[in-house]
Amino acid sequence: MLNPQERTDETNLPTAARDDGSGADVPLSVYDLTVAYHRKPVIWDVGFDLPAGQLIGIVGPNGAGKSTLLKAVMDLIPRASGRVRIFGDTYRDNRHRVGYVPQRESVDWQFPVSALDVVAMGLYDKIGWCRPVRKKHREQAREALARVGIGDLADRQISQLSGGQQQRTFLARALVQDADLYLMDEPFAAVDAATERAIVEILRDLKARGKTAAVIHHDLQTVPEYFDYVVLLNMRVVAHGPVEDTFTQDNLQKTYGGRLTLLDEVTEAMRRRESSI
């Protein structure tokens, strides 16, 4: 938490802490965010401003509160304290500017809908609830499926898709929204190499179009390759900033402690990134 001297100077505060009308260009600003389950904090006093037009990795050990953070940002779970701003406003007022890719394990894949139906759900803000999905909406959904490489599976039931195809379906659902900020909860988890490459290309295309993506990610070795900016989280924010400045051995040791066993491999990955720039 900020000390009293820092609190007196509002220019030092995350955008979410201020009421001066600033922050319309900040995709996601979090201030003093705490979430607790049964009075036990899961994330505590989390605060940061994320830069626009960047690919951002949210990294930390299992149980660090990464998924909880995204859910709290989107009002899916209650907050014990704190404020969140999406482009300077509340999530409720700017939810149409946010695309979300949930963990694949959290989805009921036996629900009787097709891949096309799932993607069309991303257009409900435009279609309106309890209104029919029109031809133009189905065309948009098909285009999004084609964009993630499974356009030929549009009419297949989601239970009949492979894990990688299911992940691509939910990525297409987020893409069809044409959002400005994308929140992705472990999109690379348990996917094949081809799907991982496809996701990376989509992320890079989003960045090229000025979009922002915040992605929960576990593979430390690929962080320097995939992301521009990193948030290191273990209940609290250990550090956040550009990868080249923040994704360091010292910060990783603070984040993972004795559980970190990949420091040498990560260091080598960072050296490869630096030599390619």
Side-chain angles (χ1 to χ4, degrees), residues 42-43 56-69 103 184-186 215-221 223 227 229-240 246-247 251-257 259-262 266:
V42 180
I43 54 175
I56 299 153
I58 301 174
V59 176
N62 291 333
K66 301 181 296 296
S67 295
T68 296
L69 171 62
Q103 285 187 13
M184 304 186 183
D185 196 344
E186 299 188 49
V215 180
I216 293 177
H217 191 59
H218 278 291
D219 183 5
L220 297 181
Q221 296 182 68
V223 168
F227 302 106
Y229 193 97
V230 66
V231 177
L232 296 174
L233 182 72
N234 193 345
M235 292 185 67
R236 302 185 70 175
V237 173
V238 176
H240 65 95
T246 309
F247 197 68
N251 283 335
L252 287 168
Q253 194 67 51
K254 291 176 182 177
T255 305
Y256 286 85
R259 288 179 285 183
L260 183 63
T261 60
L262 295 174
V266 172

Side-chain angles (χ1 to χ4, degrees), residues 27-45:
L28 174 59
S29 182
V30 177
Y31 173 71
D32 196 23
L33 179 62
T34 295
V35 176
Y37 293 141
H38 306 294
R39 297 186 178 180
K40 181 179 179 181
V42 180
I43 54 175
W44 178 44
D45 195 22

Side-chain angles (χ1 to χ4, degrees), residues 55 101 144-149 167-168 171-172 174-175 182 184 188 195-209 211 213:
L55 301 181
V101 178
L145 285 167
R147 187 175 168 191
V148 300
Q167 193 68 292
R168 292 187 193 216
L171 187 59
L175 294 177
Y182 290 89
M184 304 186 183
F188 296 106
T195 297
E196 181 159 344
R197 289 193 299 270
I199 294 172
V200 171
E201 288 304 311
I202 288 168
L203 289 174
R204 290 172 177 167
D205 179 62
L206 289 173
K207 177 185 174 181
R209 295 194 291 123
K211 311 292 187 178

Side-chain angles (χ1 to χ4, degrees), residues 1 8 136 148 162 167 193 212 261:
M1 187 172 292
T8 59
K136 67 176 182 179
V148 300
S162 69
Q167 193 68 292
T212 304
T261 60

